Amino acid sequence: MAKRLLSFANPVQSVNVSAVTSPLVWEHVQPAAARRLLTGAIDAFAERGFQATTTRDIASRAGMSPAALYVHYPSKERLLFEISLYGHQAALAVLQEAGDRPSPTERLRSMVSSFTAWHAEHHTIARVVQYELAALTPEHFAEVATIRRAISAQIEQVLADGVRDGSFTVEDLPGTTLAVLSLSIDVARWYTPHRTKPEALGSLYGDLALRMVQA
Amino acid sequence: MAKRLLSFANPVQSVNVSAVTSPLVWEHVQPAAARRLLTGAIDAFAERGFQATTTRDIASRAGMSPAALYVHYPSKERLLFEISLYGHQAALAVLQEAGDRPSPTERLRSMVSSFTAWHAEHHTIARVVQYELAALTPEHFAEVATIRRAISAQIEQVLADGVRDGSFTVEDLPGTTLAVLSLSIDVARWYTPHRTKPEALGSLYGDLALRMVQA
DNA sequence: GTCTATAGAGGGATAGAC
DNA sequence: GTCTATCCCTCTATAGAC
């Protein structure tokens, strides 16, 4: 019997972060010790959630004592905020780059495809971005909420453009915007690297989004 | 300026459980004190997550001292398990009842519509069901995972039936199954009662699912 | 900038009275 | 079956040496 794929049907209880967050993407975080703490925190938060993660766990993933953490970050919450802020910014940037197409049809396909692939490729960061908002301070939350509004506006705009030029048939614009976003966002909940390649998933979801607007 | 609706764009940091979980649905939980603890725990877990919820919080929502909790439940995790198990059973039952239609097209519409409306109507329980799996013991997790496989199988089956009789055009059956499930499940993440009625949301999502399979 | 040691607070669960 | 009191543990964060 073939090994069953992980999915909604066969969920993992704690996310398998066998592919530990690559430090290469985070070269702008200096010094290296701060970067090791950050990537360790991403993996830990994605695996267990913010509340269940201890500073000891983060520090030990970075090969340090718990106290060393506080040289680089003033609190556990601050570590979460820096991950969440950077993650939100990266997700918005992906959407904006993909939105550089003339026709609404190709623009929507490209945006959903890239946004979905990003959630799969960076599923650890994406989990923190999408599911750990409640652990942020009100001030930090307000800051990422601004970026979330910009992300939502990107999708709503391309749908509105498509409706206006007759490419799309959409009866409920805000509702359909949320549904399209849900498709990509929920990937962060269930995705594991062993299932599908991010690009293939993005391609499928791009097609599905076009069907949803009857392109 | 109109009050902005809550959504992905305007997320709430902690879920507004202004409509506290109705005790009416839980009459089978006896005695009443056990039921008050259970509904209090649902609200607390949905609002803050399992890890951030204290037994003192649950007990005080039920109007009791922390110690009284242990007369009715042996641990905080056991409370989570009973909520999660009942919630999974209820979600599966909704799907099965809605699947009582001859044609794949009407069956898929009905299933997605009901499953979505359930996630909206019971968004507090649904949040616990969908987002607190990691806090279950391995044994308890295995038990709810069985139900999750049955839920997934229900959707996959109706899609397969529609493909076979020519009603649907689906290129990637497991991928599309996951996408359809994602649509409904993600509702538990963002839904608040002030936005849309569960039935209206279900109706929209039923239509969107049919478009996704090109019915 | 990293360590060991620990302060200070809070949480899960239990003891024992009523 | 509920209470008050509390044990015992773990956690975040700090102190101070090197």
Side-chain angles (χ1 to χ4, degrees):
Chain A
M1 181 176 154
K3 189 184 169 194
R4 286 194 68 109
L5 291 172
L6 296 163
S7 65
F8 171 82
N10 283 302
V12 276
Q13 199 175 2
S14 61
V15 177
N16 181 3
V17 202
S18 58
V20 165
T21 302
S22 165
L24 294 178
V25 197
W26 299 94
E27 276 180 352
H28 63 282
V29 180
Q30 292 291 347
R35 188 165 62 246
R36 290 205 312 276
L37 287 164
L38 197 96
T39 56
I42 291 170
D43 292 337
F45 293 161
E47 213 174 301
R48 316 186 197 285
F50 176 82
Q51 301 284 355
T53 298
T54 67
T55 52
R56 285 169 174 79
D57 182 10
I58 296 167
S60 82
R61 284 175 196 251
M64 296 177 202
S65 74
L69 189 152
Y70 294 90
V71 174
H72 302 284
Y73 301 94
S75 68
K76 190 174 82 156
E77 190 275 340
R78 178 77 200 200
L79 209 33
L80 172 66
F81 172 58
E82 300 212 354
I83 293 163
S84 189
L85 180 62
Y86 182 91
H88 276 91
Q89 287 169 340
L92 175 58
V94 160
L95 214 46
Q96 285 169 334
E97 277 165 38
D100 188 24
R101 307 279 180 107
S103 89
T105 300
E106 280 316 307
R107 190 142 51 101
L108 179 61
R109 186 203 299 281
S110 165
M111 287 168 80
V112 171
S113 177
S114 298
F115 196 57
T116 301
W118 184 84
H119 277 79
E121 178 76 36
H122 304 282
H123 60 282
T124 50
I125 301 170
R127 281 179 70 95
V128 180
V129 163
Q130 304 299 352
Y131 300 116
E132 302 298 335
L133 294 172
L136 293 167
T137 64
E139 293 74 22
H140 288 161
F141 174 74
E143 204 165 331
V144 300
T146 303
I147 305 175
R148 294 181 79 83
R149 279 190 284 276
I151 288 171
S152 181
Q154 289 275 323
I155 297 291
E156 187 157 345
Q157 187 61 58
V158 64
L159 294 187
D161 289 350
V163 168
R164 187 160 36 74
D165 83 353
S167 309
F168 303 159
T169 303
V170 171
E171 259 126 70
D172 179 345
L173 183 61
T176 306
T177 300
L178 257 173
V180 169
L181 282 167
S182 279
L183 223 50
S184 299
I185 288 170
D186 196 59
V187 167
R189 182 181 58 83
W190 59 260
Y191 185 85
T192 76
H194 309 294
R195 187 186 171 73
T196 321
K197 285 185 182 152
E199 297 73 30
L201 193 71
S203 174
L204 171 64
Y205 277 37
D207 289 345
L208 290 174
L210 289 182
R211 288 181 173 195
M212 285 167 74
V213 298
Q214 226 149 55
Chain B
M1 179 177 153
K3 189 185 168 194
R4 288 194 67 108
L5 292 171
L6 295 164
S7 67
F8 171 82
N10 283 304
V12 276
Q13 199 176 1
S14 62
V15 177
N16 181 4
V17 200
S18 57
V20 165
T21 301
S22 163
L24 294 179
V25 196
W26 299 94
E27 274 179 352
H28 63 282
V29 180
Q30 292 291 348
R35 188 165 63 246
R36 291 204 313 276
L37 287 164
L38 197 95
T39 56
I42 291 169
D43 292 337
F45 293 161
E47 213 174 300
R48 317 184 197 287
F50 176 82
Q51 302 285 354
T53 298
T54 67
T55 53
R56 286 164 175 80
D57 181 10
I58 295 167
S60 82
R61 284 176 196 251
M64 296 177 200
S65 74
L69 188 153
Y70 294 89
V71 174
H72 302 284
Y73 301 94
S75 67
K76 188 173 83 156
E77 191 275 340
R78 180 75 201 202
L79 209 33
L80 172 66
F81 172 60
E82 299 212 355
I83 293 162
S84 189
L85 181 62
Y86 182 90
H88 275 91
Q89 287 169 340
L92 175 59
V94 160
L95 215 45
Q96 284 169 335
E97 278 165 38
D100 188 23
R101 310 278 180 106
S103 88
T105 299
E106 281 316 306
R107 190 145 50 103
L108 179 61
R109 186 203 300 281
S110 165
M111 288 169 79
V112 171
S113 177
S114 300
F115 196 56
T116 301
W118 184 84
H119 276 80
E121 180 75 35
H122 304 281
H123 61 281
T124 50
I125 301 169
R127 281 179 69 94
V128 179
V129 163
Q130 303 300 351
Y131 300 117
E132 301 298 336
L133 294 172
L136 294 167
T137 65
E139 293 73 23
H140 289 162
F141 174 74
E143 204 164 333
V144 300
T146 304
I147 306 175
R148 295 182 78 81
R149 278 189 285 277
I151 288 172
S152 182
Q154 289 275 324
I155 298 291
E156 188 158 343
Q157 188 61 56
V158 64
L159 294 188
D161 289 350
V163 168
R164 189 160 35 75
D165 82 354
S167 310
F168 303 159
T169 304
V170 171
E171 258 126 70
D172 179 346
L173 182 62
T176 306
T177 300
L178 258 172
V180 169
L181 283 166
S182 279
L183 223 50
S184 299
I185 289 170
D186 196 59
V187 167
R189 183 180 57 82
W190 59 260
Y191 185 84
T192 78
H194 309 293
R195 185 184 172 75
T196 320
K197 284 185 182 152
E199 297 72 29
L201 192 71
S203 173
L204 171 64
Y205 276 38
D207 289 345
L208 290 175
L210 288 182
R211 287 182 174 196
M212 285 168 74
V213 298
Q214 225 147 54

